[in-house]
Amino acid sequence: MWDEIGALARYHGDVPPEVRVLKLAEEVGEAAQALIGVHSWNRRKGQHASEEDLLDELADVMITAGVAIAGFTADPGRAGAVLTRRLATVMARADLAPVPDPGRVRHWTASAIVLAPDDRVLLVDHIKSGYLLFPGGHVAASESLAEAAVREVREETGIDAAVITGPVPAHPPMIVHPVPFRIIECTAADPVNGDHAHIDGLFVCRAASTGIGQLSEHEITGARWVSLTEMRELPVPPELPGLTEAAIAWVAAQRTPAEEPGSPLVMVTSNPAKAATAAGHLAAYGLAVEHTQLDLDEIQSVSVTEVALHKARHAYARLQRPVIVEDGGFFIDGLGGFPGALAKAATSMLGLDGLIKLAGLTGTRAAHFESALVYIDEAGEQAFTSTGPSGTVARQPAGHTRLGAWSVLWDIWIPPGADRPVSALSDQDYAAYLESWRSRSVFTQLGDWLRARLEAAR
């Protein structure tokens, strides 16, 4: 329920919390009006409301109160904790239940020891506790522990992180989630919601980059990368240095050499042309690509990285072998990036002609591709992304998708410097286009990374 309340609070984000309290008074008045209508207490109007109307109005009172609480707390999880605490107090006041021991009120949380390539760890200046902590927070009803940890890192620091985990046995047709590095319970001293305990799923993650982005200012005042030595001199809970030291050692033990030259990587895709392209790029690194197709879960997300990561985790859970999954999106610049990661669905619904008409509304017709590749093995996950150059959308489809094309969108996208879509380029121009793309492609990034990992392990 609090996920939905949180969504409503964000939807009404431009309404001050104080106004939401006034809105609550309005909803109470409407409930009173419905009660009068049910019992015909207004003789002039007679019975003008049903019992169902009354129940709906009372539900609106509860929803509006929840949105007001979420507006003041800026955190649906905290809002839920407020209601739980208050309900327990009221129940105890009525001698219906004892006041619970604060140490026994437990909330599920997830946090992350996020490591940089040099094993520095990410800490955030936590407002409520006054400590430097690992990023983390409450788990929403709709997500797993690992998903919550990754989300909290992104929300608090703007950093994308990938969970490192050891091999997990697959149990088809079940979805197997990453196993936490530790599950720990600790007391959360909370002057607002009351003291309670956190059962925390602690994950070890690698950061996609060390650039700190937009901070979650209602929760933290800053974020920084620190070494283990520096951490011991900072205001952190006493257990953090030991946990970090153990995590660094665990990751070092988890590291395995990259696949030896000639050992196949499994690329999971329904597109043979995409697998052939990957094989061509990775052959330069002595890596073979084995193409396979699986019926994978595919989430609808505006992030191509999230889509690729979800599918790759599903594939690895089933195959228990090093896998790679690529996903791409088509972004029309003047439409705010639409259709983006939803390009496949948009093309299916609108067709190429529909996308051309939409691009024509922008004036410039500018568009580009973005690609995400996720590699997973027993040592963890690694994501690579690439943003292509901005070309233009043709005024009509070329009408003959090139043999070996990844996507029908090649039939309408004109690369910069060209006068026709990719599928209509001459063989010479097509080869030049592919060569210009090769150096920044996600497959080249993967090859460079695997080579570096293998050399570091030797």
Side-chain angles (χ1 to χ4, degrees):
M1 180 184 77
W2 286 102
D3 285 345
E4 290 81 0
I5 293 293
L8 287 170
R10 290 189 294 273
Y11 177 76
H12 295 292
D14 58 340
V15 178
E18 293 80 5
V19 175
R20 298 180 194 182
V21 174
L22 297 178
K23 174 67 174 173
L24 177 61
E26 179 188 15
E27 295 295 345
V28 171
E30 291 178 359
Q33 187 176 28
L35 178 63
I36 292 170
V38 168
H39 293 286
S40 303
W41 289 340
N42 185 328
R43 293 184 179 180
R44 180 175 59 84
K45 291 185 178 181
Q47 184 175 6
H48 61 273
S50 66
E51 183 177 298
E52 195 67 25
D53 293 330
L54 174 60
L55 295 177
D56 285 346
E57 295 296 346
L58 289 172
D60 285 347
V61 171
M62 297 178 67
I63 293 168
T64 304
V67 172
I69 294 173
F72 276 105
T73 62
D75 180 355
R78 183 180 167 198
V82 169
L83 180 60
T84 299
R85 173 180 58 81
R86 190 61 188 165
L87 183 60
T89 300
V90 174
M91 292 286 286
R93 185 185 300 159
D95 292 328
L96 295 176
V99 176
D101 177 0
R104 303 304 297 174
V105 177
R106 290 167 165 164
H107 299 170
W108 276 102
T109 59
S111 56
I113 302 175
V114 184
L115 300 177
D118 59 1
D119 285 339
R120 286 180 301 153
V121 67
L122 181 64
L123 296 180
V124 297
D125 296 278
H126 196 257
I127 292 174
K128 190 184 295 184
S129 71
Y131 278 123
L132 288 165
L133 300 175
F134 303 135
H138 286 83
V139 180
S142 60
E143 61 188 357
S144 69
L145 287 170
E147 289 168 341
V150 171
R151 173 185 55 76
E152 287 287 346
V153 172
R154 184 186 307 112
E155 288 182 354
E156 292 188 356
T157 69
I159 290 174
D160 288 320
V163 170
I164 301 172
T165 185
V168 179
H171 303 283
M174 298 164 61
I175 297 175
V176 180
H177 292 282
V179 175
F181 171 66
R182 295 282 192 276
I183 297 179
I184 56 180
E185 182 171 340
C186 56
T187 299
D190 190 334
V192 177
N193 303 317
D195 292 352
H196 56 276
H198 284 174
I199 301 179
D200 190 64
L202 179 60
F203 293 85
V204 183
C205 299
R206 278 291 184 198
S209 72
T210 55
I212 295 173
Q214 181 68 40
L215 302 179
S216 176
E217 295 180 354
H218 72 277
E219 295 180 276
I220 63 174
T221 58
R224 65 183 87 174
W225 291 98
V226 302
S227 68
L228 181 58
T229 301
E230 292 169 331
M231 182 189 293
R232 298 185 192 280
E233 304 299 322
L234 293 171
V236 299
E239 66 274 10
L240 254 64
L243 282 169
T244 301
E245 185 174 19
I248 293 172
W250 178 77
V251 170
Q254 288 287 106
R255 291 192 185 108
T256 58
E259 293 296 291
E260 293 295 334
S263 299
L265 300 175
V266 179
M267 182 167 190
V268 181
T269 177
S270 60
N271 189 331
K274 186 183 294 186
T277 300
H281 279 228
L282 294 173
Y285 298 88
L287 292 163
V289 173
E290 176 184 315
H291 175 211
T292 189
Q293 297 187 45
L294 293 175
D295 184 16
L296 299 177
D297 291 337
E298 182 166 349
I299 60 173
Q300 294 301 310
S301 171
V302 296
S303 167
V304 292
T305 303
E306 289 183 2
V307 173
L309 186 61
H310 185 84
K311 291 195 292 187
R313 286 172 175 168
H314 190 189
Y316 181 72
R318 291 180 59 180
L319 298 176
Q320 292 296 293
R321 294 178 57 189
V323 299
I324 54 176
V325 172
E326 190 276 344
D327 201 88
F330 184 62
F331 296 75
I332 300 176
D333 299 349
L335 297 178
F338 179 84
L342 305 175
K344 184 177 179 181
T347 304
S348 175
M349 294 176 64
L350 303 174
L352 295 180
D353 289 331
L355 291 177
I356 288 173
K357 289 179 181 178
L358 287 176
L361 300 175
T362 68
T364 66
R365 312 182 72 87
H368 67 277
F369 288 96
E370 292 183 14
S371 178
L373 175 70
V374 173
Y375 170 88
I376 299 183
D377 64 10
E378 63 274 13
E381 307 167 347
Q382 189 69 29
F384 307 90
T385 60
S386 173
T387 299
S390 184
T392 55
V393 176
R395 297 183 181 278
Q396 62 182 20
H400 53 282
T401 299
R402 177 181 291 275
L403 181 66
W406 286 26
S407 168
V408 295
L409 293 168
W410 285 16
D411 212 26
I412 65 171
W413 186 74
I414 303 174
D419 60 357
R420 64 195 68 188
V422 175
S423 63
L425 294 175
S426 67
D427 290 344
Q428 181 178 358
D429 289 342
Y430 177 68
Y433 164 71
L434 290 184
E435 189 59 34
S436 69
W437 169 71
R438 178 185 297 271
S439 63
R440 62 176 178 271
S441 81
V442 289
F443 299 111
T444 298
Q445 294 177 47
L446 171 65
D448 290 340
W449 180 78
L450 285 173
R451 175 183 285 171
R453 193 174 78 158
L454 178 60
E455 291 174 353
R458 285 174 174 165

